[in-house]
Amino acid sequence: MSFNYAGRFNSFVFKNATVYDAIDSYTRMKGITHLEFNYPEHFTGYDIEEIIRRKGHLGVNGLAVRWRGPDFKPGNFTNENQHTRDKVIAMCRDAVDVCRKLDGSVITLWLENDGFDYPFQMDYERAFYQIVDGVREAADYAAGSEGKKEIKISIEYKPYEERNFAMIDSTGMVMYLLSEIDRPNVGCTLDFCHMLMKHDNPSYGIALAARKGKLFGLHMNEGYGWQDSGMIFGSVSPVLAMEFIYYLRLYNYQGVVFFDTFPIREDPFQETQANIDAFEKINALVDKIGMDKIARVIRSKDGVQVSRLMLEMLK
Ligand SMILES: [Mn+2]
């Protein structure tokens, strides 16, 4: 099974490259199939027609909405300033329009400010259903209609950062949110580091989301679990990474594998390529060992057999 790959624009942009430069790099990189933008930051000062010209053979996966600036700090969908909350939803609609123009598929929403820091700071029920209603509004706008492609809305959870507590903080909570939203075009994006931060087993999350047809996106990276490390895929826990790829194949994941990594000290071109190479190599190891054999080990529920499988993988 082969996978679709996209890299993180800001890996280049934060090193003084333009969005155009980054697109040119991606067209030269081995394995990249799609582009994944932030909205509005990667469009401000850029021409969409020029972006389309430069991307050549690459597809567009979608856009992640970023609500930047002091107005959004108290909350995104949970903002009590009606004007600001309207703007939060309007930006989702604008992102859907741009996504359609680029023939993309998915709008990713990470609810960065929808959380709380103090006890007695949040009316939890009100806040949760402000998110439900807000995402529904965006999703209904993104739904397909005559002549208009359906765009998916995908919720990316993170347990904490920026706030001490996030409203949507775990795989279980995001699945619960999706069932309350109850829209066919709303699903989730699972970020490997965010899952480790929550002590959510990454593959368990895939299984539950995929079973419901709600696995709309992946953010692949690596870390030690206590912060959003954004390291190269498979570099800390290759066995967890291997289990993850096994489940992606089991559920026939057809979406894009986006590498949400932070090459602060590394060369961004080589670092992105290293992510793809690691993913491809671990995928090849799953092939070599075989899906059936892995399934047998899982059925055994035996730690010793699991350890032997791991040694075979390292051989
Ligand atoms: Mn992410």
Side-chain angles (χ1 to χ4, degrees):
M1 177 176 168
S2 65
F3 289 95
N4 301 307
Y5 299 110
R8 172 176 168 269
F9 269 105
N10 281 347
S11 296
F12 292 89
V13 172
F14 288 175
K15 296 200 170 178
N16 294 323
T18 65
V19 167
Y20 297 146
D21 296 336
I23 293 173
D24 294 346
S25 291
Y26 288 134
T27 59
R28 286 186 282 115
M29 211 175 284
K30 196 167 165 285
I32 291 285
T33 56
H34 289 77
L35 299 175
E36 173 84 33
F37 299 89
N38 285 354
Y39 180 86
E41 65 177 289
H42 297 144
F43 296 94
T44 310
Y46 295 98
D47 176 36
I48 291 194
E49 298 307 322
E50 179 66 13
I51 287 174
I52 292 170
R53 253 196 309 281
R54 288 199 181 227
K55 76 177 188 61
H57 67 287
L58 299 178
V60 170
N61 184 45
L63 283 59
V65 180
R66 286 286 182 273
W67 301 280
R68 294 267 156 81
D71 290 353
F72 302 113
K73 287 283 178 199
N76 301 131
F77 293 106
T78 61
N79 203 299
E80 293 298 344
N81 180 310
Q82 194 54 50
H83 175 76
T84 305
R85 188 172 183 275
D86 289 346
K87 198 167 167 201
V88 164
I89 297 167
M91 282 170 69
C92 296
R93 285 196 299 264
D94 294 346
V96 168
D97 291 342
V98 173
C99 191
R100 282 188 175 130
K101 213 173 277 177
L102 292 168
D103 198 24
S105 311
V106 192
I107 299 297
T108 306
L109 304 179
W110 165 47
L111 313 180
E112 152 171 32
N113 297 304
D114 287 325
F116 49 95
D117 303 301
Y118 291 91
F120 300 108
Q121 189 176 30
M122 193 56 113
D123 179 336
Y124 305 109
E125 181 186 332
R126 174 176 166 76
F128 187 85
Y129 286 95
Q130 281 175 319
I131 296 172
V132 171
D133 294 342
V135 174
R136 259 190 199 157
E137 230 181 292
D140 291 343
Y141 183 81
S145 57
E146 68 277 13
K148 278 188 176 169
K149 179 181 180 180
E150 179 193 83
I151 300 295
K152 293 172 173 164
I153 303 286
S154 194
I155 311 293
E156 178 185 6
Y157 87 78
K158 185 174 179 179
Y160 46 85
E161 289 173 354
E162 300 295 318
R163 309 301 292 261
N164 281 270
F165 288 87
M167 289 298 297
I168 309 305
D169 72 337
S170 59
T171 306
M173 188 63 91
V174 81
M175 293 309 295
Y176 177 57
L177 177 71
L178 299 183
S179 78
E180 289 294 290
I181 291 172
D182 194 24
R183 291 290 189 274
N185 64 330
V186 182
C188 66
T189 291
L190 296 177
D191 180 305
F192 201 81
C193 265
H194 298 182
M195 301 182 98
L196 296 177
M197 287 164 78
K198 187 63 183 178
H199 199 66
D200 270 349
N201 182 290
S203 296
Y204 186 10
I206 293 187
L208 294 191
R211 149 103 199 204
K212 294 280 185 188
K214 293 297 191 185
L215 185 59
F216 287 3
L218 294 177
H219 282 190
M220 301 316 305
N221 42 31
E222 181 69 279
Y224 295 94
W226 60 280
Q227 68 172 1
D228 201 5
S229 304
M231 293 159 66
I232 296 168
F233 180 71
S235 57
V236 177
S237 311
V239 182
L240 280 183
M242 186 188 179
E243 187 190 25
F244 199 85
I245 291 178
Y246 166 81
Y247 278 98
L248 287 181
R249 293 175 56 144
L250 190 69
Y251 289 101
N252 193 26
Y253 178 73
Q254 297 287 322
V256 169
V257 176
F258 169 73
F259 294 107
D260 195 3
T261 55
F262 317 140
I264 296 163
R265 291 162 200 86
E266 296 77 18
D267 173 76
F269 189 99
Q270 294 196 33
E271 192 264 4
T272 310
Q273 189 69 63
N275 271 295
I276 297 170
D277 294 349
F279 203 96
E280 288 280 301
K281 176 71 185 177
I282 297 172
N283 185 37
L285 284 171
V286 172
D287 261 336
K288 203 176 106 196
I289 291 174
M291 295 292 285
D292 293 345
K293 176 155 190 189
I294 296 173
R296 275 200 302 279
V297 172
I298 292 170
R299 273 198 305 274
S300 79
K301 297 190 172 181
D302 177 8
V304 175
Q305 287 203 42
V306 170
S307 174
R308 290 197 175 122
L309 178 73
M310 186 191 73
L311 293 182
E312 191 180 336
M313 176 188 164
L314 295 174
K315 212 157 57 184

